Amino acid sequence: GLPGAGATMRTVINANSGGKTKISGVIAGLFLLVVLLGLGSLVGNIPNAVLAGILITVGIGIIDYKGLRHFKDMPRSDQAVLIIVFLLTVFVDLLIAVAAGMVLSSLLFMKKIADVAEEGVDTAPLSDFAREIPWGDEGDIIKKVGHKIYIKHLNGPLFFGFAARFNEMIKALPEIEVVIIRLDRVPYVDQSGLYALEDAIQDLHDLNVAVVFTGVHGQPETIMRSIKMIPNLVPEEHCFEDFSGCTTWLNTYLNRGDVKNISQEQINAKGNLR
């Protein structure tokens, strides 16, 4: 109702009245406290029509006319949020409308971030999509072993909005030997994103694909160690501070098959000589 709407708009009224510091908010809070403690009977005499007039004036003052002019050019998701909030404000309650707007905007924001994180990602061997622009420290590794490895570049936070698509991408990977997950630019991982990553790594292990981390640090490293993802799923020797250390390990790991084949050929040769 009107009292709740008036409380929500208090900050806007302060700003429109010239309040520029936190003192204006303190004074407004103290005034409301006085009203609640002793002046409620006097304020109750103010007609609702007067309060409604004040709210209408304040409401008109906070309308973003520029945004309305560009309404037809806005993404459909943003248009939907605007219309829903408008209808809830008019026909239900301002507080409910604000809460619904915040929830919807948050969900849409996470969806957009997930889309940005996945933009340009392909699910072919690295040598087949060099257009994904390797990071500067990766050198010519694409030309050398691009058919044996897959490098997953992660940019930004890893959360539930990204989880489903990440798992789909892992399942669609071609036959490779190593997946390198670059976490250099991941500042935050939430619980659902962490579990999605854990499931993906387990699926890769089931396919006998080695998983390597590079650049894991800060909050992501802390939370991964807290659930024992490191070192139970990704051992310490598969975690590298930078890509150069990973490259050194990679050369040894990928050549291990050649060493085994040579040894077996030598054994067979000795047997033939006998």
Side-chain angles (χ1 to χ4, degrees):
L2 290 175
T8 304
M9 291 186 173
R10 186 173 64 251
T11 302
V12 176
I13 295 174
N14 276 347
N16 290 341
S17 301
K20 298 181 180 179
T21 66
K22 296 179 181 179
I23 296 178
S24 62
V26 173
I27 293 175
L30 290 175
F31 176 75
L32 287 178
L33 179 62
V34 172
V35 170
L36 290 174
L37 294 179
L39 298 181
S41 58
L42 295 178
V43 176
N45 294 325
I46 300 176
N48 284 340
V50 174
L51 295 176
I54 295 174
L55 292 177
I56 291 173
T57 302
V58 174
I60 293 174
I62 64 175
I63 293 176
D64 184 2
Y65 294 100
K66 182 178 179 180
L68 291 178
R69 287 198 299 269
H70 297 147
F71 178 80
K72 67 180 188 304
D73 300 319
M74 296 167 57
R76 291 188 176 181
S77 57
D78 292 344
Q79 292 177 347
V81 173
L82 192 152
I83 292 173
I84 291 172
V85 172
F86 174 77
L87 293 176
L88 289 175
T89 302
V90 174
F91 296 106
V92 183
D93 183 86
L94 178 61
L95 295 178
I96 295 176
V98 171
M102 291 178 62
V103 171
L104 290 174
S105 297
S106 299
L107 293 175
L108 287 174
F109 172 77
M110 289 184 283
K111 175 63 169 59
K112 291 176 182 177
I113 293 297
D115 291 340
V116 170
E118 278 299 284
E119 186 177 355
V121 172
D122 211 330
T123 52
L126 190 59
S127 57
D128 292 344
F129 58 91
R131 288 177 297 176
E132 192 188 332
I133 307 179
W135 289 355
D137 56 353
E138 291 175 11
D140 59 351
I141 194 171
I142 297 175
K143 297 180 181 179
K144 292 182 177 179
V145 291
H147 62 291
K148 295 183 178 181
I149 68 172
Y150 178 90
I151 300 180
K152 176 58 186 160
H153 303 95
L154 295 179
N155 287 283
L158 184 65
F159 51 90
F160 80 87
F162 178 74
R165 300 186 65 177
F166 184 77
N167 281 330
E168 291 175 3
M169 181 272 296
I170 290 297
K171 292 177 181 178
L173 283 177
E175 293 183 2
I176 52 178
E177 296 184 35
V178 180
V179 169
I180 301 172
I181 301 178
R182 303 211 57 181
L183 297 155
D184 312 49
R185 304 176 186 178
V186 177
Y188 176 80
V189 179
D190 79 348
Q191 189 173 22
S192 56
L194 183 70
Y195 292 154
L197 184 61
E198 183 181 35
D199 291 341
I201 294 173
Q202 188 60 61
D203 290 341
L204 289 170
H205 284 174
D206 292 341
L207 298 173
N208 294 321
V209 176
V211 178
V212 176
F213 285 163
T214 67
V216 60
H217 60 277
Q219 187 269 350
E221 180 180 11
T222 301
I223 193 171
M224 287 177 185
R225 291 186 181 278
S226 69
I227 69 165
K228 307 301 181 183
M229 179 184 291
I230 301 175
N232 288 357
L233 275 181
V234 182
E236 297 286 353
E237 57 269 24
H238 288 182
C239 298
F240 301 93
E241 289 291 332
D242 51 42
F243 196 78
S244 61
C246 175
T247 303
T248 303
W249 171 88
L250 194 61
N251 290 330
T252 303
Y253 184 84
L254 294 178
N255 290 329
R256 76 196 189 288
D258 298 335
V259 173
K260 291 179 180 179
N261 291 335
I262 292 173
S263 299
Q264 187 61 46
E265 289 175 359
Q266 292 173 343
I267 293 172
N268 294 336
K270 290 180 180 179
N272 293 332
L273 290 174
R274 292 177 183 174

